[in-house]
Amino acid sequence: MSGMNFLDLMVRQGNMENPPRTPIVPGFECSGLVEMLGEGVENFQVGEGVMAVMCYGAWAELACVPVENVFPLPPGMSFTDGAAFPVSFLTAYLLLFDIGRLREGMSVLVHSAGGGVGQAVAQLCATVPGVTLFGTASSSKHEAIRGSLLHLIDRNADYVTEVKKISPEGVDIVLDCLCGEHTAKGLSLLKPMGTCILYGSSNMVTGETKSFFSFAKSWWQVEKVNPLRLYEENKCLAGFQLLPLLTRPDGATRVRHTMARLTHLYIKGVIRPRIDSVWALEEVKEAMQRIHDRGNVGKILLEPEKAPIPLMASDSTDTSEACDEEGEEDESECKEREPFIH
């Protein structure tokens, strides 16, 4: 089983600074059984349940992964949770604790709070006493995620004003996956000694294909950071991307230590990935449309062994909604295609 991330959408549209050569197999995380061991591998056994994070290649029935990026499934973890776990929780943990230095009593603002990383951030913040968490999300998601955030703000609202109504001094950590004009807003919200961390640029994805206008607009709206101003205001601007860590020996070690902490929290029942939906590999177009439309709450997964739901002649191939496979009794009554929703 494989996870789908917003980064996959950016890869498909060519919005990567160093795009991979085609043809490629997309996907950055998966779970399953060990089929074969490479020479010298001793820590795993054939048939063992594992999860993995990688630089491409996860959307497949078989994936070849460097052993340092493979992790045993902890007791009680399903393949579904395993496929949704690595990227979101590794990203959230490293953002909060390694870069943001989250401690008791601090405050955090996270954008796209309804996504996989946003929900992981909410769960990890709950492990630290006294943390105040603000989150922005589409109003359509508020009912579904209201219980995971203390202060939920509409993504189209003036969130700077809304945050300062509650915390006039601002926040200690801003997690910015939007970029563009939001970078300047994030810096303005920081308390002294606060950190704004850029870990994405989803505002560049507006249409079905790569848009030079969206890219240029997002770049133009990023405030030109004045180093003098940063140290005069005692603020920090940082960046993070998980994939480059995987190719560095020191980075892989950091990822492995972080995953050990995260699996310990999972075993204790403190954290668990939130699953939006599961799709067949043949339904990747519809699954990607759902994440493109920002319709998911939690992670979207691809299941190689899942049979696709047949599309009727009258069905729209652009839809990400349809009949639930388990509840479908008469295919003639199925108007649209829908994933298996957990």
Side-chain angles (χ1 to χ4, degrees), residues 222-331:
V222 174
E223 181 177 275
K224 307 306 180 287
V225 178
N226 184 338
L228 296 178
R229 185 177 173 185
L230 282 178
Y231 80 68
E232 287 174 354
E233 297 182 353
N234 290 294
K235 295 180 178 180
C236 178
L237 179 63
F240 174 79
Q241 188 178 16
L242 179 62
L243 298 185
L245 286 182
L246 303 179
T247 59
R248 296 173 52 93
D250 56 340
T253 300
R254 181 185 292 269
V255 166
R256 180 163 293 279
H257 289 165
T258 302
M259 184 62 83
R261 299 186 189 102
L262 289 168
T263 52
H264 177 68
L265 291 173
Y266 182 91
I267 292 171
K268 291 174 62 178
V270 176
I271 61 174
R272 183 174 183 177
R274 180 163 186 167
I275 311 300
D276 175 81
S277 50
V278 181
W279 304 74
L281 280 177
E282 293 86 347
E283 298 169 325
V284 65
K285 177 182 177 181
E286 291 87 350
M288 192 161 276
Q289 187 67 46
R290 184 171 178 84
I291 203 170
H292 175 277
D293 294 340
R294 280 72 166 179
N296 59 300
V297 176
K299 289 299 290 268
I300 291 177
L301 302 178
L302 298 175
E303 169 56 87
E305 296 184 358
K306 181 180 183 295
I309 300 173
L311 283 172
M312 307 301 289
S314 59
D315 289 346
S316 166
T317 58
D318 291 331
T319 184
S320 60
E321 303 287 330
C323 295
D324 188 323
E325 184 181 49
E326 290 194 343
E328 180 182 348
E329 297 181 357
D330 183 359
E331 284 188 4

Side-chain angles (χ1 to χ4, degrees), residues 29-290:
E29 60 187 335
C30 64
S31 65
L33 297 174
V34 175
E35 184 79 12
M36 185 181 299
L37 298 175
E39 184 178 351
V41 175
E42 300 177 350
N43 297 332
F44 296 95
Q45 298 180 349
V46 173
E48 182 178 355
V50 296
M51 54 184 166
V53 58
M54 67 199 75
C55 294
Y56 305 101
W59 292 2
E61 293 178 337
L62 294 174
C64 183
V65 189
V67 66
E68 59 267 20
N69 296 335
V70 181
F71 313 95
L73 287 180
M77 178 179 279
S78 65
F79 291 125
T80 301
D81 280 359
F85 194 83
V87 169
S88 291
F89 277 95
L90 281 170
T91 299
Y93 191 99
L94 292 169
L95 288 172
L96 289 171
F97 297 102
D98 286 46
I99 304 177
R101 304 294 180 183
L102 182 65
R103 299 183 300 278
E104 183 175 352
M106 293 178 70
S107 53
V108 179
L109 169 66
V110 59
H111 292 295
S112 299
V117 173
Q119 288 294 287
V121 165
Q123 293 182 38
L124 289 172
C125 281
T127 66
V128 181
V131 169
T132 302
L133 179 60
F134 299 87
T136 68
S138 303
S139 58
S140 60
K141 300 183 181 182
H142 283 202
E143 188 63 31
I145 66 174
R146 192 175 302 279
S148 62
L149 290 99
L150 183 60
H151 302 292
L152 191 55
I153 304 169
D154 191 294
R155 68 186 300 268
N156 296 314
D158 181 0
Y159 60 84
V160 173
T161 300
E162 294 300 315
V163 168
K164 289 193 172 182
K165 286 180 181 178
I166 300 167
S167 179
E169 295 296 317
V171 297
D172 297 291
I173 302 172
V174 174
L175 304 180
D176 180 8
C177 61
L178 304 177
C179 201
E181 62 180 326
H182 298 279
T183 302
K185 292 180 179 179
L187 283 170
S188 72
L189 269 175
L190 285 182
K191 296 178 181 179
M193 305 301 290
T195 304
C196 178
I197 311 171
L198 310 180
Y199 71 102
S201 51
S202 63
N203 273 1
M204 289 196 300
V205 178
T206 55
E208 297 298 325
T209 58
K210 182 178 180 179
S211 169
F212 176 78
F213 174 76
S214 296
F215 177 85
K217 180 181 178 182
S218 182
W219 177 85
W220 181 258
Q221 288 178 333
V222 174
E223 181 177 275
K224 307 306 180 287
V225 178
N226 184 338
L228 296 178
R229 185 177 173 185
L230 282 178
Y231 80 68
E232 287 174 354
E233 297 182 353
N234 290 294
K235 295 180 178 180
C236 178
L237 179 63
F240 174 79
Q241 188 178 16
L242 179 62
L243 298 185
L245 286 182
L246 303 179
T247 59
R248 296 173 52 93
D250 56 340
T253 300
R254 181 185 292 269
V255 166
R256 180 163 293 279
H257 289 165
T258 302
M259 184 62 83
R261 299 186 189 102
L262 289 168
T263 52
H264 177 68
L265 291 173
Y266 182 91
I267 292 171
K268 291 174 62 178
V270 176
I271 61 174
R272 183 174 183 177
R274 180 163 186 167
I275 311 300
D276 175 81
S277 50
V278 181
W279 304 74
L281 280 177
E282 293 86 347
E283 298 169 325
V284 65
K285 177 182 177 181
E286 291 87 350
M288 192 161 276
Q289 187 67 46
R290 184 171 178 84

